[in-house]
Structures are given as C-alpha cells and as structure tokens.
Amino acid sequence: MTVRFAVVGTPGDRRVTLFRDAVVARGLAEPHVVPWQDVLAGREISVPEGTLLRIDSPGEDARADELLRGPGDPARAGGGAAWYASFCAGLDRVAAIPGVRLLGDVGEIKVMFDKRRCHAVLAAAGVPVPEAFEARSYDGLREEMARRGWQRVFVKPAHGSSASGVIAFQTHGSRVHAVTSAVWLDGVLCNSLQVRTVTEEAEVRRLVNVLAPGGLHVERWFPKAMTGGRAFDLRVVTVAGRPTHAVVRTSRFPMTNLHLGGRAGRPRCRTPEGRAVGAGAGGVRRCGTVLSAEFEYGGST
C-alpha cells in the first residue's frame, strides 16, 4: 500500500516546504497541498482518498490573515477572537473532507489556540500551571490583581502566538512597569521585533483596553531561572507522552521568543548525583528532575 500525504497550509511557506522535503526524502510522493486560502474562502477542497492529512499553520499569508480576521495590516496585534472563530470554522471544513485520515485532532487543535481553554485542560489533568484569570479591561485587570495580592502578571491575548500583544506587567504602589513588543503605527497597535518598556499608566491602560475585546488571559508571573545574566525557559516536545525534542531559550527580557532577541540552545543535564546525561530530550527524559543544566548554543538567533 502506497502512503500518500497532504498538508493544509500556505504554499511556499517554510513549514510546508520542510514537511514536503521530509516526505520526499523518504522516497514518498510529494504531498498534496491544500491552501488555507481555499479552506477559508469556502472553495471546493479535493484530497485523494486514503491520504494522511496534516494540518499546519496558516503562516504569514496576508490574504489568509484577511480571511481570518478581516482587512488590515497583517502585523497588527489584536483581532484574535475573529481570527479564532474563522480558524475553527476552517478546521471543521477540513475535518469534513471525505476519505482522509487526519494526523491531528481538530478538537485538540481548537483547545491549543485558546489559552484559557488550554490552561483549564492542563490544570484538570494535573499539570502544574500558573494561577490565572480572565480580564476584560485595564480597570478589571488592576482590580483582580489587587484582590489576589499579585504585583506581577503576564497579560496575554486569549488567541495568538509569538508573543503577539503579550505584556509583562508589574505594579508597585502607584507605579507601573510593562514590557511588550507591541507598538503604535499610524494609530494601529502592531507587533514589532523590538521589546520596549512602558512606565506611563495611561499608555498601559491604552494597550490593555485595545487588546481586551478579544479576551485576555492573565497569568501570575513567576520569575524565570537565570543563567549568564539571562532568563531561560525549557521547551520540550512530547510524542505519545515521551519527550522527543528539547530546546532552551534565553533572553534579557521576560519573553524568550527568538524573533525578540532570544537565543536557542540545547540543555546538558545532570542527575541529582552529578552524572551528566547528555543534551536534548533524551537527557531530560533520563534525568527526570533536572537540578542543574549547562547550555550549548549554536549561532546568534
């Protein structure tokens, strides 16, 4: 039996291209590409019967972004609620394609693209997550922080990725301190590659209130561990409950995203007895609890 793959994505996008290269490298037929534009515009979708169908991100396709959340600068922050509703409708269309086997669960994908739902699912499964609440305005944010006795939070749009619209926010009496990559361009709040600090409450209020209509997921901010004067976090991919890939990201800012100046490396872990277990997810898996780690960096990403 010949295995056939297809992918829902943006033709020419890096993710689609890498998937195509991996499939062809295994001696298999080139994957059939279903453009997100066709899915979102309601055009007819045709996929050979028996195909294994991968669902990938719409990527940075400006037309797909317009179909997802309406016209405007693709770099703008906000509009996540409209984006999510359109994306879920598109997922339902993909799930209805006859005769194919989906490689991802549509219901789980919907959960992953809603930070509030994802947080609730993880908490219900016993996975440690920061305490959180939902905010609808700057005043509501401050009131709930005061009620809980919190001074540091991450304010995140409920739907989004790559730190889009994220604000690392802290208060001390009447003083405020916010770190974000969102900037105003011709009156529109847009994402940028530069992280900035805001200490004027009026500006923080404006930022939060512009993002609030799409829903805000607010998490208690716990300081990250430090190495070499840089904060770091560890990202681990698991397949069927087994760690397969691990990467450490470090940054001078609260957000460690690589496009915002973060650096990626591989963890070198040590067991409680001091025994080195090597780099990557294999080391994390064998170590269990990592009490110390060294980091290998490649490039200056």
Side-chain angles (χ1 to χ4, degrees):
M1 177 180 176
T2 302
V3 177
R4 291 295 305 270
F5 284 96
V7 55
V8 180
T10 296
D13 181 81
R14 180 173 59 91
R15 297 180 182 88
V16 172
T17 300
L18 289 172
F19 179 69
R20 178 261 176 204
D21 293 346
V23 171
V24 172
R26 300 302 188 277
L28 300 174
E30 185 164 332
H32 178 79
V33 178
V34 179
W36 265 111
Q37 288 191 23
D38 291 354
V39 174
L40 298 170
R43 303 188 187 105
E44 181 179 354
I45 304 172
S46 177
V47 180
E49 187 172 350
T51 296
L52 301 178
L53 180 59
R54 171 186 171 91
I55 302 175
D56 218 324
S57 166
E60 299 176 355
D61 182 1
R63 175 55 182 159
D65 183 79
E66 182 177 338
L67 291 168
L68 284 163
R69 57 176 177 160
D73 189 333
R76 71 192 186 278
W83 188 100
Y84 183 69
S86 300
F87 182 66
C88 288
L91 289 175
D92 290 338
R93 286 204 71 207
V94 172
I97 299 175
V100 301
R101 178 184 171 189
L102 295 178
L103 296 180
D105 184 278
V106 166
E108 292 184 350
I109 294 173
K110 291 179 180 179
V111 169
M112 290 189 293
F113 276 85
D114 186 325
K115 293 181 176 67
R116 299 161 299 186
R117 293 179 63 191
C118 188
H119 186 277
V121 168
L122 292 173
V127 177
V129 290
E131 296 175 82
F133 63 87
E134 186 174 353
R136 289 292 181 182
S137 67
Y138 178 76
D139 289 339
L141 167 68
R142 293 299 304 270
E143 289 169 6
E144 186 61 20
M145 287 177 65
R147 190 186 72 82
R148 293 171 178 252
W150 296 358
Q151 292 184 309
R152 294 160 54 95
V153 296
F154 274 101
V155 182
K156 305 178 180 182
H159 314 290
S161 60
S162 302
S164 174
V166 170
I167 305 169
F169 179 58
Q170 52 188 314
T171 65
H172 185 74
S174 61
R175 291 179 294 174
V176 299
H177 186 278
V179 178
T180 183
S181 62
V183 298
W184 298 100
L185 296 176
D186 297 325
V188 177
L189 188 62
C190 294
N191 299 298
S192 75
L193 298 179
Q194 301 295 322
V195 177
R196 67 182 179 119
T197 298
V198 180
T199 56
E200 299 81 17
E201 185 173 31
E203 172 65 0
V204 179
R205 180 188 298 274
R206 185 186 181 199
L207 290 171
V208 172
N209 285 342
V210 164
L211 296 168
L216 294 174
H217 176 71
V218 183
E219 292 182 345
R220 191 173 186 180
W221 176 2
F222 291 98
K224 291 182 173 67
M226 303 285 290
T227 179
R230 297 169 67 92
F232 76 86
D233 57 27
L234 186 67
R235 303 299 174 100
V236 181
V237 176
T238 65
V239 177
R242 182 181 178 87
T244 58
H245 301 75
V247 64
V248 64
R249 304 193 313 188
T250 73
S251 177
R252 297 182 292 107
F253 306 112
M255 294 81 82
T256 61
N257 302 72
L258 303 186
H259 69 288
L260 298 179
R263 296 176 60 195
R266 294 189 304 161
R268 292 181 57 84
C269 306
R270 294 184 180 274
T271 65
E273 297 78 23
R275 179 172 55 87
V277 291
V284 173
R285 182 169 59 248
R286 293 193 299 274
C287 185
T289 300
V290 181
L291 295 187
S292 64
E294 303 163 354
F295 303 103
E296 297 177 343
Y297 295 104
S300 56
T301 53

